[in-house]
Amino acid sequence: MAIDILIAGRLPPNVLPQLEERFRLHSLPADATGAGAILQKVGGSVRGLLTNAAQGAPEALLAALPNLEIISSSGVGTDALNVAIAESRGIRVETTPGVLTEDVADAAIALMLATSRRLMQAERNVRAGRWLKDLPLGNRMTGKRLGILGLGKIGQAVARRASAFDMPIAYHQRNRNPEVSYTYHDSLVSLATASDFLVVIVPGGSATEHMVNAQVLDALGPEGILVNVGRGSTVDQPELVRALEQGRIRAAGLDVLADEPNVPEALLALENVVLTPHYASGTIETRLAMGQRVVDNLLEYFAVEL
Ligand code: NAP
Ligand code: 8YV
């Protein structure tokens, strides 16, 4: 009997061609009317959900899929997947750990350089025919102190790269990692005080919500640069805007925002902000590897029936 799979988020291009001969695939339309019609028609028979970490698995969608057995998500973040609900219903949740680590770390370094060296502002100047007009000098990154909030897989990959820039490295997370020699801070304020760059790469969700607040930003200080490649929810965004406007921190490089894809006008107006659209894992190489994991996770789960 055909196995019904619902596709509820953007997926890498190698996913669907590998699945369409083995499963009966249904796409969830973006508009509420179209989505409602599809869910009414096939919701009861859907056994697998394909999504990605950003678009997630909303509670209302899970409620419309009473016989769901597996969520296979492209990405590592589980904050939008409603894992507690899935677990309570015995739904397996699979993600794509490891394969995106290096490219997300590259993106963090790119944002550190783009902010400190004012690359985007300089580029805008050239395109506008202004050359060096009113372009302030940048700041050196080499040798500056790096603080990492979340020394997990990606945090450690950022640290490895930063070592090549002769940056002293410190970190904060709930547990000290005995396998690394970087300096551990048992509070985020203490880490921010001791950092020129603060890179945020913890998971989203309630445990980390607004961890980067006004106190942390003031501890980072007027020469400090914030880079967030984790989740927008970890930073108190209105406080960040205020700190940037008032020069209480020097700059911010943000791949993730509080309410994606909505970007506050106040952020767009600031020269000392570099913004990317939740794009840190967005290389062809990584997205194809993520896609393959999404496929393999689904095939492994249904292996005996295929
Ligand atoms: P990971 O290996 O699981 O590392 C997460 C780290 O965060 C751990 O070292 C953990 O240490 C720390 N942490 C977790 N909860 C914390 C808390 N409440 N307070 C302080 N530290 C905490 O995960 P990863 O692969 O590095 O990915 C990290 C996150 O990056 C993902 O969950 C995802 O949200 C985000 N991400 C974003 C993109 C993007 O496109 N921008 C791409 C990939 C991933 P302790 O357990 O000791 O606290
Ligand atoms: C992706 C991510 O941008 O892995 C994550 O948690 O946020 C990113 O890799 C996301 O999965 C969209 O495809």
Side-chain angles (χ1 to χ4, degrees):
M1 206 163 101
I3 299 170
D4 288 290
I5 304 293
L6 185 67
I7 295 137
R10 277 187 312 278
L11 292 167
N14 56 340
V15 173
L16 300 188
Q18 295 189 64
L19 299 179
E20 55 203 5
E21 283 184 7
R22 293 176 162 109
F23 298 95
R24 195 156 54 202
L25 302 180
H26 311 276
S27 289
L28 190 68
D31 67 293
T33 316
I38 281 284
L39 290 173
Q40 191 132 28
K41 193 167 155 215
V42 302
S45 62
V46 166
R47 296 175 61 195
L49 176 65
L50 298 189
T51 186
N52 64 57
Q55 286 168 280
E59 199 174 336
L61 176 60
L62 293 181
L65 307 173
N67 295 307
L68 188 64
E69 295 170 40
I70 178 170
I71 299 170
S72 181
S73 176
S74 179
V76 290
T78 57
D79 50 303
L81 296 179
N82 278 301
V83 175
I85 293 175
E87 276 175 359
S88 73
R89 285 177 45 188
I91 299 167
R92 186 188 289 204
V93 177
E94 295 287 354
T95 61
T96 64
V99 294
L100 44 62
T101 301
E102 306 303 329
D103 281 338
V104 178
D106 286 355
I109 297 289
L111 286 172
M112 289 165 68
L113 282 166
T115 45
S116 58
R117 300 300 301 267
R118 298 179 183 266
L119 286 185
M120 311 315 289
Q121 195 180 348
E123 215 258 358
R124 283 193 290 274
N125 248 37
V126 175
R127 285 184 188 274
R130 291 161 50 81
W131 203 240
L132 283 166
K133 192 170 179 352
D134 299 328
L135 183 66
L137 294 175
N139 291 94
R140 179 181 298 165
M141 181 166 108
T142 292
K144 296 288 172 65
R145 300 166 302 166
L146 170 62
I148 300 176
L149 171 57
L151 195 74
K153 288 183 282 301
I154 299 168
Q156 289 180 49
V158 172
R160 286 196 297 276
R161 286 154 174 74
S163 298
F165 287 89
D166 297 330
M167 301 181 84
I169 293 155
Y171 69 104
H172 168 71
Q173 56 188 11
R174 291 165 301 185
N175 308 292
R176 184 192 295 265
N177 182 343
E179 288 168 15
V180 300
S181 57
Y182 312 129
T183 306
Y184 178 69
H185 289 257
D186 62 8
S187 92
L188 179 54
V189 170
S190 163
L191 177 71
T193 304
S195 301
D196 300 307
F197 289 80
L198 180 63
V199 170
V200 177
I201 184 65
V202 279
S206 57
T208 58
E209 189 171 5
H210 290 188
M211 268 184 102
V212 179
N213 54 22
Q215 198 191 357
V216 171
L217 295 168
D218 285 331
L220 186 58
E223 294 178 7
I225 292 180
L226 179 78
V227 165
N228 187 4
V229 286
R231 283 291 181 267
S233 58
T234 305
V235 175
D236 184 335
Q237 198 164 277
E239 285 296 347
L240 173 63
V241 170
R242 266 190 287 280
L244 286 162
E245 285 173 342
Q246 295 166 0
R248 285 161 39 224
I249 69 168
R250 175 170 280 155
L254 308 171
D255 183 54
V256 285
L257 293 176
D259 179 29
E260 295 170 11
N262 299 312
V263 189
E265 283 299 324
L267 271 182
L268 294 173
L270 288 165
E271 287 283 19
N272 54 346
V273 174
V274 176
L275 299 162
T276 49
H278 201 144
Y279 192 56
S281 68
T283 66
I284 291 169
E285 293 86 346
T286 277
R287 286 292 165 84
L288 291 179
M290 289 163 72
Q292 199 54 53
R293 290 291 292 266
V294 169
V295 168
D296 292 346
N297 288 338
L298 199 69
L299 292 180
E300 275 165 32
Y301 180 81
F302 287 111
V304 291
E305 294 179 57
L306 292 171

